[in-house]
């Protein structure tokens, strides 16, 4: 039992040791985590590609309608006007930026 536990601990330590967050490894870690294809997200998101909660009015409403409702509610609550500037920093809210403009 102690041998098995010791081997598991050693394996765990080595696994993390070889994945240290050096500059090269950090780039690799980021790529593995964030560089996923749009095809993957298209399997479970609507065409806005918004991956945060939508605002549904009823149970039979489609996802895109509920996502657009959320976006328009946010624009309204933020009081975004035509003379305002909106900065999209690439955090998955591109549709909000497009609609705000």
């Amino acid at each position: 039992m102690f041998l098995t536990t010791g081997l598991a601990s050693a394996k765990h330590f080595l696994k993390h040791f070889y994945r240290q967050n050096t500059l090269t490894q950090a780039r690799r870690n980021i790529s593995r985590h964030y560089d996923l294809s749009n095809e993957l997200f298209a399997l479970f998101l609507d065409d806005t590609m918004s991956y945060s909660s939508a605002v549904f009015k009823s149970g039979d409403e489609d996802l895109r309608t509920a996502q657009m409702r959320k976006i328009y509610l946010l624009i309204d609550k933020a009081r975004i006007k035509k003379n305002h500037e909106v900065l999209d920093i690439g955090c998955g809210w591109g549709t909000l930026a497009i609609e705000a403009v």
Side-chain angles (χ1 to χ4, degrees):
M1 181 160 117
F2 290 117
L3 178 62
T4 305
T5 304
L7 288 174
S9 293
K11 179 183 171 187
H12 184 71
F13 172 79
L14 289 173
K15 180 180 169 185
H16 287 285
F17 177 79
Y18 287 113
R19 287 192 311 166
Q20 289 183 41
N21 224 12
T22 63
L23 186 57
T24 302
Q25 189 61 39
R27 286 186 180 133
R28 194 174 298 132
N29 292 341
I30 290 167
S31 177
R32 286 180 182 154
H33 186 79
Y34 291 104
D35 292 346
L36 302 173
S37 70
N38 282 348
E39 290 80 23
L40 170 69
F41 292 104
L43 293 172
F44 56 91
L45 298 176
D46 66 302
D47 62 332
T48 67
M49 298 298 258
S50 299
Y51 46 85
S52 61
S53 299
V55 178
F56 289 89
K57 274 194 172 179
S58 65
D60 61 344
E61 189 170 51
D62 67 277
L63 179 59
R64 186 178 199 298
T65 302
Q67 287 289 17
M68 294 306 292
R69 179 177 296 106
K70 172 193 66 185
I71 288 167
Y72 293 131
L73 284 169
L74 288 169
I75 291 169
D76 186 51
K77 286 180 185 250
R79 298 183 193 158
I80 298 172
K81 303 295 180 207
K82 290 182 180 182
N83 62 328
H84 292 157
E85 295 182 18
V86 176
L87 174 64
D88 179 7
I89 59 170
C91 59
W93 287 86
T95 302
L96 173 81
I98 290 167
E99 293 300 320
V101 171

